[in-house]
């Protein structure tokens, strides 16, 4: 929630530096989550499964 508020303020001010530490923290937490879940080759596959079950990054690359 604090990161969201920082993003709102940073966006109003066009100040990426104000939001940058929050973004780094959120990305770090997502990477930890993916490591806990586990994945075969691409880290994003662990997080993708929550939204698109059984989908893989490899398949999405072919689609797009």
């Amino acid at each position: 929630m604090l990161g969201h508020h920082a993003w709102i303020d940073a966006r109003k001010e066009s100040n990426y530096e104000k939001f940058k530490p929050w973004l780094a923290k959120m990305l770090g937490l997502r990477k930890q989550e993916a490591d806990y879940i586990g994945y075969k080759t691409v880290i994003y596959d662990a997080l993708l499964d929550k939204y698109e079950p059984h989908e893989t990054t490899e398949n999405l690359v072919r689609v797009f």
Side-chain angles (χ1 to χ4, degrees):
M1 181 163 51
L2 296 174
H4 180 75
H5 290 292
W7 175 79
I8 290 170
D9 291 341
R11 186 170 180 205
K12 285 179 187 175
E13 300 170 15
S14 293
N15 183 353
Y16 169 71
E17 292 300 318
K18 192 171 191 175
F19 179 64
K20 187 177 177 179
W22 290 101
L23 180 60
K25 183 174 184 166
M26 287 186 286
L27 289 174
L29 290 170
R30 289 294 181 198
K31 287 179 181 179
Q32 283 182 349
E33 179 183 358
D35 286 338
Y36 291 137
I37 293 170
Y39 54 92
K40 290 182 183 178
T41 55
V42 181
I43 192 170
Y44 187 65
D45 286 347
L47 304 174
L48 179 62
D49 199 50
K50 185 186 298 185
Y51 304 101
E52 291 292 334
H54 312 293
E55 188 59 87
T56 63
T57 304
E58 181 182 356
N59 187 54
L60 289 176
V61 168
R62 283 193 299 257
V63 170
F64 293 109

